[in-house]
Amino acid sequence: MSNLATLFMERQRIRLRYISRLAIMLCTAILLNLTWMQQSYAEQITLNLNNADIEALIKTVSEHTGKNFVIDPRVKGKVTVISAHPMESDEFYQVFLSILEVHGFSTIPSGDVIKVVPDVKAKQGGIPTIDAIGQLLGDQIVTRIIQVKNVTSAQLVPILRPLIPQEGHLAAYPDTNVLIISDRRQNVDRLMKIIKQIDQVSNSSIEVITLQHASAAEVVRILNGLQAPAVKGRKTATKLVADERTNSILISGDPTARLRSRVVIQHLDTPFDNEGNAQVIYLKYANAADLVTVLTGVGDNLDETKQAAGTAAKGKPKLPINIQADEASNALIITAPPDIFRSLQAIIRKLDIRRAQVLVEAVIAEVSYDKAKKLGVQWIIDGTPDGRGPVGIINLGSPAISEVATAAASAASGQGSIPLGPGTSVGFGRFNSNRINFAALIQALESDTTTNILSTPSITTLDNQEAEIVIGQNVPFITGSYSSTGGTSNSVNPFQTVQREDVGLTLKVKPQINEGNSIKLEIEQEISSINQTASTGTSDIVTNKRSIKTVVMVDDGNTIVLGGLIQEDLQQTEEKVPLLGDIPLLGALFRANSTTKVKRTLMLFLRPIVIRDAAVNTQIAGDKYNYFRAQQLKMKQEGIDLMSDEETPLLPPRFGTLAPPFDDIELEPGQ
């Protein structure tokens, strides 16, 4: 019994020891939990403000969150906040951002500080740029770059603009098809969800339908006429494009609209009941008669190719191809199978286009410089009065000796005079002596002739069309002389044959416009004139001629030099009496010197200008017209000698304002 009681008592002590340890551990846990709850409750904030200053709120937030703030001087106002339960530190900061948004302020993180500024200035500061939704919490202003994949970013701007406040920013960058949004983080997340719903792959695809009988362009014109006109901001159900090369139609749109279009196309793509129907095509620019030869050759070639390929319908007679031109209406009448007719129609559309024109402006500058100097002495000795003296003549660079001798004899007898040439002539001598008479004539001449000829011809012609301009005179040239005897009186009838030639300026040009506005020019230019000096003493007229024939390449509006001529001719002549002319000083009385210098410079410049439309043509014509009218106005204002102002010609105003530098000329009423 005693052993059992001892064992029982020992067990009771052990049990009490465990219970006491467990109680101690439980009390310790309870105390620790109470301490954590007290500390956690101490970190939570219950925010209740009534008309408090916003700077005081920022100070409170800084104390509880440990953040540093820099406040813009424009951040002022009173705030009221009502909170029903305590908030954690992060939740408290998000409530602070919401308070700032309500009052028109934003925060901009900048290193260890946060700047508090008005909303209008926030988007221009260093706001953070995020890459995913929810990367930043709350109402923080952020910038998001959104890549648009299936639609055009510029199309989304007018859709999203009303969803962004005035202080926000929305822009599209078309080069990379992205959107740039600066706004509150929550609004940016909302816009991202909207963009994801819009930026979807369209379920519309493109179908290609190849026609066998009808013309693709004509069918597209009919289908577009059946569609209702597109409402502003809304596209049509389908879009149709004709490929004339393959005679196919490309259709895009939703499946239902494409199905309706396919049904209509199948009904229209049916063969003609009579393939011999003629078609009339009215041309806009090309000449119908010129196209007949080209189209006939192309049509025959297409027909032979069709027969060789075996695509002609079996059992049907071959339809001949017939192409005629109606020059009165400038139209083509074509009879051909439908497939060949479509090919010819496509060729006609490419040939019947407005051809560009080329204005060719030329500048011909010629400078001629002629200078001559002559100095000589002539002597006449007459010993005939006494019958014993000699008779002698020294003729150097003057009229013929026979003329001088005859004139000298007449002068000696008092019945004539000595002929004088141009220049200054000084004569002296003895004329009344009974033994020997003599006379001396000193002649001096200096001439200086300068000629400056500037011609600016211009001509306009079509591309690949030769043009010619002639400015000058039509001069007759004798080609033959004949005489005939006829009649009873045996009279002689002389006659001459004459051929007329143009003498002056001739310009022939054929332009060809190439790729990149470069122009190939085939040029023939000739300058001719009558040489009055050389024609004296000849049987016919002598002409001077300068011509160029070349092919050049020049860009539109650039100037090119075609050719140049620099000619200098120097002639020096000395005539003297042997031995006497070599005597120093006195030898000058028995010499005649002549020096002639001729110098000519000729330069030819050319500039082509491409005229592709009526606007350029009107501008060029207006500039030239106004320039000449301004010259006339200037001449009229300066006045003309021996002529009244009313007799001065004046072009009427036609092309608006005057061209510089004459646009400052004041016009009188009625001008």
Side-chain angles (χ1 to χ4, degrees):
M1 280 299 290
S2 59
N3 291 332
L4 291 174
T6 303
L7 181 61
F8 178 75
M9 293 297 294
E10 186 66 27
R11 289 181 177 178
Q12 289 295 332
R13 283 195 299 271
I14 294 173
R15 186 179 293 111
L16 290 175
R17 190 181 305 119
Y18 286 140
I19 292 174
S20 61
R21 289 181 179 177
L22 181 62
I24 293 172
M25 293 175 62
L26 181 61
C27 291
T28 303
I30 293 174
L31 291 176
L32 291 175
N33 189 26
L34 290 175
T35 303
W36 177 83
M37 292 179 61
Q38 183 179 4
Q39 291 177 354
S40 177
Y41 183 78
E43 291 179 358
Q44 291 183 346
I45 304 168
T46 302
L47 187 61
N48 287 288
L49 300 175
N50 184 14
N51 201 23
D53 189 76
I54 194 170
E55 293 185 1
L57 173 63
I58 296 173
K59 182 178 180 181
T60 302
V61 173
S62 177
E63 292 175 353
H64 288 82
T65 60
K67 300 180 183 296
N68 302 320
F69 293 93
V70 176
I71 305 174
D72 190 278
R74 291 169 290 183
V75 178
K76 296 182 181 300
K78 303 293 183 179
V79 297
T80 299
V81 182
I82 300 174
S83 178
H85 59 83
M87 297 174 289
E88 300 290 340
S89 176
D90 294 338
E91 186 180 1
F92 176 58
Y93 184 72
Q94 298 303 325
V95 173
F96 168 67
L97 295 179
S98 301
I99 295 172
L100 293 180
E101 178 189 3
V102 171
H103 290 79
F105 304 120
S106 303
T107 58
I108 302 176
S110 178
D112 296 335
V113 299
I114 299 174
K115 295 181 287 186
V116 183
V117 297
D119 286 341
V120 294
K121 189 179 178 182
K123 64 181 180 180
Q124 300 173 356
I127 58 178
T129 302
I130 60 176
D131 299 328
I133 296 178
Q135 191 173 11
L136 290 177
L137 301 177
D139 294 320
Q140 172 70 48
I141 289 186
V142 296
T143 297
R144 179 73 189 270
I145 300 175
I146 304 172
Q147 179 68 53
V148 184
K149 299 179 180 178
N150 301 304
V151 297
T152 305
S153 59
Q155 295 178 346
L156 296 177
V157 172
I159 300 174
L160 302 177
R161 177 69 68 184
L163 303 179
I164 295 181
Q166 184 178 2
E167 61 273 6
H169 176 73
L170 173 64
Y173 186 61
D175 292 349
T176 56
N177 201 36
V178 298
L179 283 173
I180 302 174
I181 305 176
S182 293
D183 200 3
R184 305 281 177 179
R185 195 270 308 165
Q186 292 181 349
N187 195 32
V188 172
D189 293 346
R190 182 171 69 101
L191 294 177
M192 274 294 302
K193 296 177 181 178
I194 296 174
I195 293 172
K196 185 178 294 185
Q197 294 294 327
I198 298 175
D199 189 21
Q200 299 291 334
V201 179
S202 176
N203 60 352
S204 62
S205 59
I206 298 176
E207 293 186 22
V208 180
I209 301 176
T210 302
L211 304 185
Q212 301 297 328
H213 307 284
S215 172
E218 188 67 17
V219 172
V220 168
R221 184 186 64 82
I222 296 173
L223 292 177
N224 288 333
L226 294 176
Q227 290 185 2
V231 182
K232 184 177 181 181
R234 182 185 303 173
K235 295 183 180 179
T236 56
T238 58
K239 185 176 181 181
L240 300 99
V241 178
D243 181 20
E244 298 178 2
R245 186 181 65 85
T246 59
N247 197 37
S248 302
I249 299 177
L250 284 75
I251 308 176
S252 66
D254 58 88
T256 304
R258 295 201 309 270
L259 178 61
R260 289 197 300 266
S261 299
R262 284 201 307 271
V263 173
V264 177
I265 292 173
Q266 289 176 359
H267 285 286
L268 294 177
D269 188 25
T270 56
F272 290 123
D273 293 337
N274 181 12
E275 294 186 351
N277 291 337
Q279 301 288 334
V280 179
I281 299 177
Y282 293 95
L283 302 181
K284 300 177 182 178
Y285 305 102
N287 191 348
D290 297 337
L291 288 182
V292 170
T293 305
V294 177
L295 295 177
T296 301
V298 174
D300 294 340
N301 188 21
L302 292 175
D303 191 26
E304 293 176 0
T305 304
K306 178 180 177 182
Q307 296 296 332
T311 57
K314 296 182 179 180
K316 290 187 178 181
K318 177 183 177 182
L319 182 64
I321 300 174
N322 187 9
I323 303 175
Q324 300 293 332
D326 181 22
E327 298 184 4
S329 59
N330 196 33
L332 292 171
I333 301 97
I334 302 177
T335 303
D339 52 348
I340 296 180
F341 174 77
R342 287 193 299 269
S343 300
L344 295 177
Q345 191 178 26
I347 294 174
I348 293 172
R349 276 193 295 267
K350 295 181 179 179
L351 295 178
D352 187 24
I353 59 174
R354 179 189 177 102
R355 294 169 61 185
Q357 301 183 94
V358 179
L359 169 64
V360 181
E361 297 178 334
V363 176
I364 305 170
E366 181 178 3
V367 178
S368 177
Y369 172 80
D370 299 345
K371 193 169 185 179
K373 290 184 179 182
K374 295 181 180 180
L375 179 62
V377 181
Q378 302 181 64
W379 293 89
I380 301 176
I381 301 174
D382 183 15
T384 57
D386 59 355
R388 295 176 298 177
V391 176
I393 297 174
I394 299 177
N395 182 31
L396 302 175
S398 289
I401 297 177
S402 60
E403 297 179 5
V404 177
T406 303
S410 299
S413 62
Q415 298 179 358
S417 60
I418 301 175
L420 301 178
T424 301
S425 300
V426 178
F428 62 92
R430 186 172 62 184
F431 305 100
N432 299 323
S433 174
N434 295 327
R435 298 182 61 184
I436 298 176
N437 295 321
F438 71 92
L441 180 64
I442 302 175
Q443 290 183 325
L445 172 65
E446 181 176 358
S447 63
D448 191 352
T449 304
T450 302
T451 305
N452 185 7
I453 301 175
L454 180 64
S455 178
T456 57
S458 61
I459 188 171
T460 303
T461 182
L462 288 173
D463 183 22
N464 281 320
Q465 187 72 36
E466 184 180 286
E468 179 181 5
I469 182 173
V470 178
I471 305 171
Q473 298 176 331
N474 192 261
V475 180
F477 292 88
I478 300 175
T479 58
S481 179
Y482 305 90
S483 61
S484 62
T485 304
T488 56
S489 59
N490 295 326
S491 61
V492 179
N493 298 322
F495 66 92
Q496 295 176 335
T497 59
V498 177
Q499 180 180 355
R500 291 185 172 272
E501 299 287 345
D502 294 328
V503 176
L505 173 66
T506 302
L507 174 63
K508 290 183 181 180
V509 60
K510 183 179 180 180
Q512 177 182 327
I513 302 175
N514 299 326
E515 184 70 23
N517 278 344
S518 62
I519 306 171
K520 176 185 176 183
L521 295 173
E522 298 179 8
I523 304 166
E524 294 184 24
Q525 192 168 32
E526 179 180 312
I527 306 170
S528 57
S529 60
I530 300 175
N531 193 331
Q532 299 290 351
T533 303
S535 299
T536 304
T538 60
S539 60
D540 205 349
I541 299 173
V542 178
T543 59
N544 300 323
K545 180 179 178 181
R546 302 175 185 89
S547 64
I548 290 179
K549 184 177 181 181
T550 182
V551 179
V552 297
M553 185 76 71
V554 59
D555 291 336
D556 178 23
N558 290 351
T559 303
I560 188 172
V561 57
L562 298 182
L565 171 65
I566 300 178
Q567 178 182 0
E568 184 172 349
D569 185 10
L570 178 62
Q571 295 181 359
Q572 290 182 324
T573 304
E574 183 182 48
E575 298 177 351
K576 64 181 178 178
V577 178
L579 300 179
L580 296 178
D582 297 330
I583 300 174
L585 298 178
L586 293 177
L589 299 176
F590 304 96
R591 290 196 304 264
N593 296 324
S594 175
T595 302
T596 303
K597 184 177 182 180
V598 179
K599 186 175 183 179
R600 289 182 175 86
T601 302
L602 175 65
M603 299 297 292
L604 304 178
F605 301 91
L606 188 140
R607 182 181 70 164
I609 300 175
V610 179
I611 304 175
R612 296 190 180 274
D613 50 30
V616 178
N617 185 27
T618 302
Q619 178 184 358
I620 294 175
D623 291 343
K624 289 191 175 292
Y625 187 94
N626 292 333
Y627 172 77
F628 285 109
R629 187 172 187 274
Q631 291 282 50
Q632 291 180 340
L633 286 172
K634 184 178 180 181
M635 184 181 296
K636 186 173 183 179
Q637 289 184 354
E638 293 177 352
I640 301 177
D641 295 339
L642 304 179
M643 184 180 294
S644 61
D645 293 340
E646 288 75 11
E647 299 178 5
T648 305
L650 180 62
L651 293 171
R654 181 179 179 184
F655 291 100
T657 58
L658 301 179
F662 306 102
D663 52 358
D664 58 345
I665 297 178
E666 297 181 358
L667 302 180
E668 298 178 1
Q671 296 181 356

